[in-house]
């Protein structure tokens, strides 16, 4: 059984969904510290003037050290209307805008309080639209303690996983004290080569929200995501890779 463990993100990029596509169970790491101005609360779409950030306003005053599952959205800002309007405006001529119309209405008509609830809704419903199948699990419901890679081991053990599929960006803290060999769990790192696809507004821009792919490629989106999937790195191979 192979699992991945990631923080719930807002309108994640296609590599995030590629990770989900390659595992049996995907764990939302919701009981770790919330990071302000991170992918947890924002992502980018494409406009005729280049990439545009869509940011969910989160309450932070007096909440230092709050966990992702504790982060609350600032309901004094009319962010839902702004995000939906920005997506509609900039993808007005996209071939598959109508395919996402109901999803946009469903997502942005709700009165969200929890950032985690919003992100989980976005991830799971977009995965469904992409026809990606995986079991979704919340780390908080496993009620496990531990730091960094040692907590990952506990999650793997709790789910009966014998393979852990990690984003490459986590290799530094995992490899600093890699507990996976002693735990008998095979560790692999994502190797993803971002594919190109049809886009609006001129020259291709990578690492946008998966919304951009779905708007432009519709039913071909999953096959395009899979074009970027390469043989995962082993632990030894990953150590020699520099991450910008």
């Amino acid at each position: 059984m192979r699992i991945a463990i990631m923080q719930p993100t807002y309108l994640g990029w296609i590599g995030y969904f590629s990770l989900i596509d390659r595992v049996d169970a995907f764990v939302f790491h919701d009981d770790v510290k919330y990071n302000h101005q991170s992918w947890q609360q924002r992502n980018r779409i494409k406009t005729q003037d280049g990439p545009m950030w869509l940011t969910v306003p989160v309450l932070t005053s007096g909440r230092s050290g709050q966990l992702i599952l504790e982060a609350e959205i600032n309901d004094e800002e009319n962010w839902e209307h702004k995000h939906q309007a920005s997506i509609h405006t900039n993808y007005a001529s996209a071939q598959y805008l109508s395919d996402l119309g109901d999803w946009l209405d469903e997502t942005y008509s709700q009165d969200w309080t929890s950032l985690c609830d919003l992100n989980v809704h976005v991830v799971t419903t977009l995965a469904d639209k992409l026809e990606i199948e995986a079991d979704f699990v919340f780390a908080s419901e496993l009620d496990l303690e531990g730091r960094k890679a040692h907590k990952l081991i506990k999650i793997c053990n709790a789910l009966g996983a014998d393979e852990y599929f990690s984003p490459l960006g986590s290799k530094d803290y995992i490899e600093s004290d890699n507990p996976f060999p002693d735990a008998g769990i095979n560790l692999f790192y994502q190797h993803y080569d971002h594919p190109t696809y049809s886009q609006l507004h001129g020259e291709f821009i990578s690492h946008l929200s998966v919304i951009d792919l779905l708007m432009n490629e519709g039913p071909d989106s999953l096959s395009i995501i899979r074009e970027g999937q390469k043989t995962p790195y082993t632990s030894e191979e990953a150590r020699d890779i520099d991450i910008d």
Side-chain angles (χ1 to χ4, degrees), residues 8-241:
T9 66
Y10 181 60
L11 300 177
W13 75 295
I14 65 176
Y16 187 96
F17 287 89
S18 171
L19 199 71
I20 300 173
D21 183 47
R22 302 199 71 176
V23 298
D24 301 298
F26 185 83
V27 181
F28 289 113
H29 211 180
D30 59 338
D31 57 353
V32 292
K33 185 178 178 180
Y34 162 74
N35 293 316
H36 189 53
Q37 295 296 339
S38 70
W39 301 113
Q40 295 163 21
Q41 73 174 119
R42 65 180 186 170
N43 223 299
R44 306 182 307 160
I45 61 172
K46 191 177 182 186
T47 78
Q48 62 181 359
D49 298 316
M52 173 185 178
W53 287 102
L54 297 180
T55 302
V56 180
V58 175
L59 298 172
T60 57
S61 179
R63 298 172 182 239
S64 176
Q66 67 179 326
L67 304 180
I68 292 174
L69 59 83
E70 297 170 333
E72 293 184 23
I73 297 172
N74 185 352
D75 61 6
E76 293 183 359
E77 298 187 31
N78 190 21
W79 66 273
E80 296 101 330
H81 173 73
K82 293 177 182 177
H83 287 202
Q84 185 172 10
S86 294
I87 293 170
H88 268 289
T89 298
N90 290 289
Y91 293 98
S93 59
Q95 184 175 357
Y96 296 101
L97 172 61
S98 60
D99 290 0
L100 285 177
D102 289 343
W103 181 86
L104 291 169
D105 291 340
E106 177 193 7
T107 299
Y108 293 110
S109 64
Q110 296 189 48
D111 186 17
W112 297 103
T113 300
S114 164
L115 177 67
C116 187
D117 287 350
L118 166 66
N119 287 348
V120 168
H121 168 81
V122 167
V123 172
T124 57
T125 54
L126 288 179
D128 184 62
K129 282 197 166 294
L130 289 163
E131 299 184 344
I132 293 174
E133 296 182 4
D135 292 328
F136 292 98
V137 180
F138 292 89
S140 58
E141 294 181 354
L142 300 176
D143 195 25
L144 300 171
E145 296 182 356
R147 288 181 54 79
K148 296 187 176 180
H150 294 280
K151 184 179 178 184
L152 304 182
I153 293 292
K154 290 185 177 181
I155 294 174
C156 286
N157 288 335
L159 297 178
D162 56 2
E163 290 188 5
Y164 179 61
F165 198 49
S166 173
L168 189 58
S170 299
K171 79 174 182 72
D172 287 344
Y173 83 73
I174 291 177
E175 296 300 330
S176 65
D177 181 24
N178 186 348
F180 282 89
D182 289 342
I185 298 170
N186 293 318
L187 170 65
F188 299 97
Y189 291 95
Q190 183 182 31
H191 182 184
Y192 197 73
D193 186 8
H194 200 299
T196 58
Y197 55 86
S198 298
Q199 279 184 343
L200 301 174
H201 313 306
E203 186 175 343
F204 183 79
I205 298 175
S206 68
H207 295 81
L208 301 172
S209 166
V210 71
I211 288 291
D212 185 78
L213 173 64
L214 282 163
M215 289 288 186
N216 290 297
E217 295 286 1
D220 293 329
S221 294
L222 181 56
S223 62
I224 291 171
I225 287 174
R226 287 175 174 170
E227 286 177 10
Q229 296 174 348
K230 307 302 179 184
T231 301
Y233 295 115
T234 64
S235 182
E236 292 76 14
E237 291 169 336
R239 289 174 195 153
D240 297 328
I241 299 173

